[in-house]
Amino acid sequence: MIGAAGGHAADVIVIGAGVVGLSAALALTARGRQVTVLDRAGPAAGASAGNAGAFAFTDILPLASPGIFRKAPAWLLDPLGPLSVPPRYALRVAPWMIRFARACAPSRVAASTTAQTALMDLSRAELEGFLAATGTSAMLRRDGNLQVYESKAEFQASLPGWDARAAHGIAFQHLDPAGMAAIQPGLAPRFLRGTFTPGWFSIADPRLYTLALADRLIAMGGRIEQAEVTALRPLDSGVRVATSAGIRRAANVVLAAGAHSHRIARTLGERIPLETERGYNTTLPPGAFDLRTQVTFGGHGFVVTRLSTGIRVGGAVELGGLTAPPNFRRARAMLDKARAFLPGLDPSGGTEWMGFRPSLPDSLPAIGPARATSRVVFAFGHGHLGLTQSPGTARLVADLVTGRPAALDLSPFSPQRFSRF
């Protein structure tokens, strides 16, 4: 503990009570640190509640890639399509889009794929031990994922990506309509080919999982408090944390505040190009469809997932910032497509949701110390993969804070990597 007048002192403060922040807090608690988690809205209030619930360890290819870059212009023409940028936000997001375009260069895609693969491997290796230690093993599902294609051309375009996965030893099966029907009955006949990935895990419900992590942290002696962190400042023996509830001090700080992280990092002098991918979904009642595996409609940018609490239809990307009101027409457009793609789907009784995915231009998170002080560790920017990469990120954060060698090379994830461009 660091004693200081004028503010409550803590050993480690973790900023963010989403799945990444709570996982890191639990990993640090397991190593004997006293942890307090601060969050502006409480546990599981953001993207950790409304995601698709997948541990997508086979998803090693970065979003920033030539294939996505080629598709983007056509997608942008459809305001309700897989990718949209509201006109009022276009100028503001332009610098991020330029960085994204640079990250699509083949040499940078290769480097990002190598780094992504290493973090996926670590996260998968850590997952089951983490679930056992937190009492959440019963929530893990092993239903796999079925990616479907509407044309021979779409399927052929996917093959280089599957070749890359095969080179890493990832198992999959290419299927014809009969093979797809054996795994997932009820698909519309428009889908001519599919690829099934059996090693794709999921969680019963991401919100309930994140809340279970919060409960486990409290049971282990940790604290969770609702307060908005507004600034960080290095001290000789720790970090000063300015919050809406007053000044705090800690020996170490972990910044894992998702889409709000870059604002706090800026108070330390770091300008990290984090952008907000606004994702939408509709969660239908559990009996809405006989879903047996997660189904990905990649050409349309969304997935359909079976949760313990219902059938979730969601995805897509809206680069629209943190303050604009939700455009739930996007959720309804995906639900309309899901009705056409799964003819037996009952669309009634759904709950709509919008959340913020924190994304960096090269599709890799920022994991590492702040430039101003090694007592602040950044752990944010996981994009679509926060749940997937949370066990590995927790291990890396615990290594950094406790002074152990990191479990993998952290240079590709350096928070300062963008200062070169």
Side-chain angles (χ1 to χ4, degrees):
M1 287 285 190
I2 298 173
H8 179 77
D11 182 10
V12 181
I13 287 178
V14 174
I15 305 169
V19 69
V20 172
L22 288 170
S23 297
L26 283 160
L28 286 163
T29 301
R31 295 195 187 183
R33 305 300 295 265
Q34 293 295 313
V35 180
T36 297
V37 177
L38 304 179
D39 191 277
R40 62 200 301 272
S48 294
N51 64 67
F55 288 107
F57 299 125
T58 63
D59 203 359
I60 62 173
L61 304 178
L63 182 64
S65 64
I68 293 295
F69 192 67
R70 286 192 295 268
K71 293 177 183 177
W75 282 349
L76 286 168
L77 292 175
D78 180 0
L80 299 179
L83 173 64
S84 73
V85 179
R88 65 184 177 279
Y89 200 71
L91 285 178
R92 186 167 178 179
V93 79
W96 189 93
M97 294 292 285
I98 291 169
R99 291 178 183 271
F100 181 89
R102 290 172 177 166
C104 292
S107 62
R108 293 188 64 190
V109 171
S112 295
T113 300
T114 298
Q116 193 85 285
T117 299
L119 184 53
M120 292 296 201
D121 287 349
L122 176 64
S123 296
R124 182 165 186 167
E126 293 286 320
L127 175 63
E128 294 193 53
F130 182 82
L131 297 180
T134 56
T136 55
S137 296
M139 301 181 80
L140 185 67
R141 291 177 167 176
R142 305 169 188 268
D143 296 336
N145 174 274
L146 179 63
Q147 170 86 47
V148 296
Y149 310 99
E150 293 179 88
S151 67
K152 181 178 179 181
E154 185 185 4
F155 174 67
Q156 291 291 332
S158 77
L159 294 180
W162 292 112
D163 289 343
R165 294 178 179 92
H168 188 63
I170 293 172
F172 57 85
Q173 301 167 266
H174 294 313
L175 303 170
D176 60 14
M180 290 189 288
I183 291 172
Q184 178 55 66
L187 285 166
R190 65 195 292 163
F191 297 104
L192 306 179
R193 297 297 303 268
T195 304
F196 182 65
T197 314
W200 186 288
F201 299 165
S202 62
I203 204 73
D205 181 273
R207 178 177 177 273
L208 297 181
Y209 172 66
T210 305
L211 291 175
L213 297 185
D215 289 343
R216 180 63 177 173
L217 178 65
I218 293 170
M220 294 175 67
R223 300 176 62 177
I224 302 175
E225 301 175 17
Q226 188 170 335
E228 183 171 5
V229 174
T230 56
L232 301 175
R233 191 178 78 191
L235 301 172
D236 290 341
S237 56
V239 184
R240 180 183 185 271
V241 183
T243 82
S244 57
I247 301 299
R248 308 290 293 271
R249 288 167 174 78
N252 298 93
V253 168
V254 177
L255 178 52
H260 301 272
S261 298
H262 62 309
R263 295 178 172 180
I264 302 171
R266 192 170 296 173
T267 66
L268 288 170
E270 305 250 16
R271 299 186 68 86
I272 298 175
L274 185 103
E275 189 49 68
T276 301
E277 292 184 37
R278 295 150 58 98
Y280 292 83
N281 68 47
T282 303
T283 303
L284 303 170
F289 189 76
D290 179 20
L291 195 66
R292 303 180 186 183
T293 183
Q294 186 182 70
V295 181
T296 298
F297 300 99
H300 299 269
F302 73 95
V303 302
V304 181
T305 304
R306 179 177 68 92
L307 304 176
S308 61
T309 50
I311 302 297
R312 181 161 291 167
V313 179
V317 171
E318 180 186 51
L319 296 170
L322 289 165
T323 60
N327 176 11
F328 282 116
R329 290 187 303 157
R330 295 183 61 76
R332 293 162 204 152
M334 286 184 284
L335 185 58
D336 287 344
K337 286 184 177 181
R339 292 174 64 188
F341 299 165
L342 302 169
L345 180 72
D346 180 355
S348 62
T351 301
E352 295 177 336
W353 177 90
M354 187 274 285
F356 304 113
R357 308 184 194 101
S359 297
L360 292 165
D362 60 2
S363 305
L364 300 178
I367 304 173
R371 179 185 285 111
T373 172
S374 61
R375 290 182 177 272
V376 176
V377 172
F378 294 161
F380 58 82
H382 295 78
H384 300 248
L385 299 170
L387 174 64
T388 300
Q389 296 176 342
S390 59
T393 301
R395 164 71 185 277
L396 294 169
V397 167
D399 288 344
L400 287 165
V401 172
T402 60
R404 298 185 187 180
L408 53 79
D409 177 15
L410 285 176
S411 58
F413 308 100
S414 168
Q416 292 78 41
R417 67 188 184 271
F418 298 102
S419 63
R420 300 191 298 269
F421 300 100

